[in-house]
PDB file of all heavy atoms in Angstrom:
ATOM      1  N   ASP A  19     -36.867  64.597 -93.763  1.00 92.00           N
ATOM      2  CA  ASP A  19     -37.092  65.668 -92.788  1.00 92.00           C
ATOM      3  C   ASP A  19     -37.853  65.098 -91.593  1.00 92.00           C
ATOM      4  O   ASP A  19     -39.062  64.879 -91.674  1.00 92.00           O
ATOM      5  CB  ASP A  19     -37.886  66.811 -93.419  1.00 92.00           C
ATOM      6  CG  ASP A  19     -37.984  68.021 -92.504  1.00 92.00           C
ATOM      7  OD1 ASP A  19     -37.806  67.886 -91.275  1.00 92.00           O
ATOM      8  OD2 ASP A  19     -38.243  69.122 -93.019  1.00 92.00           O
ATOM      9  N   PRO A  20     -37.158  64.843 -90.499  1.00 92.00           N
ATOM     10  CA  PRO A  20     -37.812  64.276 -89.314  1.00 92.00           C
ATOM     11  C   PRO A  20     -38.938  65.150 -88.754  1.00 92.00           C
ATOM     12  O   PRO A  20     -39.785  64.676 -88.014  1.00 92.00           O
ATOM     13  CB  PRO A  20     -36.674  64.136 -88.303  1.00 92.00           C
ATOM     14  CG  PRO A  20     -35.432  64.083 -89.125  1.00 92.00           C
ATOM     15  CD  PRO A  20     -35.702  64.946 -90.325  1.00 92.00           C
ATOM     16  N   ASN A  21     -38.966  66.425 -89.134  1.00 93.00           N
ATOM     17  CA  ASN A  21     -40.032  67.317 -88.671  1.00 93.00           C
ATOM     18  C   ASN A  21     -41.393  66.950 -89.266  1.00 93.00           C
ATOM     19  O   ASN A  21     -42.408  67.511 -88.886  1.00 93.00           O
ATOM     20  CB  ASN A  21     -39.690  68.771 -88.989  1.00 93.00           C
ATOM     21  CG  ASN A  21     -38.485  69.246 -88.208  1.00 93.00           C
ATOM     22  OD1 ASN A  21     -38.366  68.984 -87.011  1.00 93.00           O
ATOM     23  ND2 ASN A  21     -37.574  69.908 -88.876  1.00 93.00           N
ATOM     24  N   ILE A  22     -41.396  66.009 -90.207  1.00 92.00           N
ATOM     25  CA  ILE A  22     -42.635  65.531 -90.806  1.00 92.00           C
ATOM     26  C   ILE A  22     -43.372  64.589 -89.847  1.00 92.00           C
ATOM     27  O   ILE A  22     -44.587  64.424 -89.945  1.00 92.00           O
ATOM     28  CB  ILE A  22     -42.333  64.837 -92.159  1.00 92.00           C
ATOM     29  CG1 ILE A  22     -41.999  65.907 -93.194  1.00 92.00           C
ATOM     30  CG2 ILE A  22     -43.461  63.951 -92.612  1.00 92.00           C
ATOM     31  CD1 ILE A  22     -41.587  65.363 -94.536  1.00 92.00           C
ATOM     32  N   ILE A  23     -42.658  64.010 -88.902  1.00 92.00           N
ATOM     33  CA  ILE A  23     -43.261  63.040 -87.974  1.00 92.00           C
ATOM     34  C   ILE A  23     -44.505  63.597 -87.270  1.00 92.00           C
ATOM     35  O   ILE A  23     -45.538  62.933 -87.256  1.00 92.00           O
ATOM     36  CB  ILE A  23     -42.221  62.511 -86.968  1.00 92.00           C
ATOM     37  CG1 ILE A  23     -41.183  61.672 -87.708  1.00 92.00           C
ATOM     38  CG2 ILE A  23     -42.890  61.712 -85.849  1.00 92.00           C
ATOM     39  CD1 ILE A  23     -40.001  61.248 -86.866  1.00 92.00           C
ATOM     40  N   PRO A  24     -44.467  64.813 -86.711  1.00 93.00           N
ATOM     41  CA  PRO A  24     -45.680  65.315 -86.047  1.00 93.00           C
ATOM     42  C   PRO A  24     -46.877  65.444 -86.994  1.00 93.00           C
ATOM     43  O   PRO A  24     -48.019  65.230 -86.574  1.00 93.00           O
ATOM     44  CB  PRO A  24     -45.261  66.684 -85.503  1.00 93.00           C
ATOM     45  CG  PRO A  24     -43.777  66.610 -85.390  1.00 93.00           C
ATOM     46  CD  PRO A  24     -43.332  65.708 -86.505  1.00 93.00           C
ATOM     47  N   ILE A  25     -46.629  65.754 -88.246  1.00 91.00           N
ATOM     48  CA  ILE A  25     -47.727  65.859 -89.213  1.00 91.00           C
ATOM     49  C   ILE A  25     -48.346  64.491 -89.424  1.00 91.00           C
ATOM     50  O   ILE A  25     -49.574  64.338 -89.399  1.00 91.00           O
ATOM     51  CB  ILE A  25     -47.230  66.443 -90.547  1.00 91.00           C
ATOM     52  CG1 ILE A  25     -46.727  67.867 -90.329  1.00 91.00           C
ATOM     53  CG2 ILE A  25     -48.327  66.401 -91.602  1.00 91.00           C
ATOM     54  CD1 ILE A  25     -45.979  68.436 -91.510  1.00 91.00           C
ATOM     55  N   LEU A  26     -47.510  63.487 -89.641  1.00 90.00           N
ATOM     56  CA  LEU A  26     -48.018  62.128 -89.825  1.00 90.00           C
ATOM     57  C   LEU A  26     -48.771  61.659 -88.582  1.00 90.00           C
ATOM     58  O   LEU A  26     -49.822  61.022 -88.690  1.00 90.00           O
ATOM     59  CB  LEU A  26     -46.875  61.175 -90.164  1.00 90.00           C
ATOM     60  CG  LEU A  26     -46.170  61.423 -91.498  1.00 90.00           C
ATOM     61  CD1 LEU A  26     -44.942  60.528 -91.625  1.00 90.00           C
ATOM     62  CD2 LEU A  26     -47.121  61.210 -92.669  1.00 90.00           C
ATOM     63  N   MET A  27     -48.255  61.989 -87.422  1.00 89.00           N
ATOM     64  CA  MET A  27     -48.916  61.601 -86.175  1.00 89.00           C
ATOM     65  C   MET A  27     -50.289  62.274 -86.059  1.00 89.00           C
ATOM     66  O   MET A  27     -51.260  61.625 -85.684  1.00 89.00           O
ATOM     67  CB  MET A  27     -48.045  61.972 -84.969  1.00 89.00           C
ATOM     68  CG  MET A  27     -46.697  61.278 -84.929  1.00 89.00           C
ATOM     69  SD  MET A  27     -46.768  59.599 -84.348  1.00 89.00           S
ATOM     70  CE  MET A  27     -46.995  59.838 -82.621  1.00 89.00           C
ATOM     71  N   ARG A  28     -50.369  63.564 -86.382  1.00 90.00           N
ATOM     72  CA  ARG A  28     -51.657  64.275 -86.335  1.00 90.00           C
ATOM     73  C   ARG A  28     -52.665  63.663 -87.301  1.00 90.00           C
ATOM     74  O   ARG A  28     -53.868  63.700 -87.060  1.00 90.00           O
ATOM     75  CB  ARG A  28     -51.461  65.756 -86.678  1.00 90.00           C
ATOM     76  CG  ARG A  28     -51.079  66.622 -85.520  1.00 90.00           C
ATOM     77  CD  ARG A  28     -51.232  68.088 -85.831  1.00 90.00           C
ATOM     78  NE  ARG A  28     -50.536  68.537 -87.031  1.00 90.00           N
ATOM     79  CZ  ARG A  28     -49.287  68.985 -87.067  1.00 90.00           C
ATOM     80  NH1 ARG A  28     -48.579  69.030 -85.974  1.00 90.00           N
ATOM     81  NH2 ARG A  28     -48.754  69.380 -88.199  1.00 90.00           N
ATOM     82  N   GLU A  29     -52.169  63.114 -88.391  1.00 85.00           N
ATOM     83  CA  GLU A  29     -53.044  62.500 -89.391  1.00 85.00           C
ATOM     84  C   GLU A  29     -53.477  61.090 -88.991  1.00 85.00           C
ATOM     85  O   GLU A  29     -54.235  60.448 -89.702  1.00 85.00           O
ATOM     86  CB  GLU A  29     -52.346  62.460 -90.755  1.00 85.00           C
ATOM     87  CG  GLU A  29     -52.062  63.828 -91.338  1.00 85.00           C
ATOM     88  CD  GLU A  29     -53.327  64.615 -91.657  1.00 85.00           C
ATOM     89  OE1 GLU A  29     -54.352  64.000 -92.022  1.00 85.00           O
ATOM     90  OE2 GLU A  29     -53.285  65.845 -91.552  1.00 85.00           O
ATOM     91  N   GLY A  30     -52.961  60.589 -87.871  1.00 84.00           N
ATOM     92  CA  GLY A  30     -53.380  59.279 -87.384  1.00 84.00           C
ATOM     93  C   GLY A  30     -52.373  58.166 -87.613  1.00 84.00           C
ATOM     94  O   GLY A  30     -52.644  57.012 -87.302  1.00 84.00           O
ATOM     95  N   MET A  31     -51.230  58.485 -88.158  1.00 84.00           N
ATOM     96  CA  MET A  31     -50.191  57.474 -88.387  1.00 84.00           C
ATOM     97  C   MET A  31     -49.272  57.433 -87.170  1.00 84.00           C
ATOM     98  O   MET A  31     -48.216  58.053 -87.147  1.00 84.00           O
ATOM     99  CB  MET A  31     -49.397  57.804 -89.651  1.00 84.00           C
ATOM    100  CG  MET A  31     -50.187  57.652 -90.898  1.00 84.00           C
ATOM    101  SD  MET A  31     -49.133  57.887 -92.330  1.00 84.00           S
ATOM    102  CE  MET A  31     -50.318  57.673 -93.620  1.00 84.00           C
TER     103      MET A  31
END
Side-chain angles (χ1 to χ4, degrees):
D19 188 339
N21 294 316
I22 286 176
I23 293 172
I25 297 169
L26 295 172
M27 298 281 285
R28 274 194 306 270
E29 295 296 327
M31 291 186 181

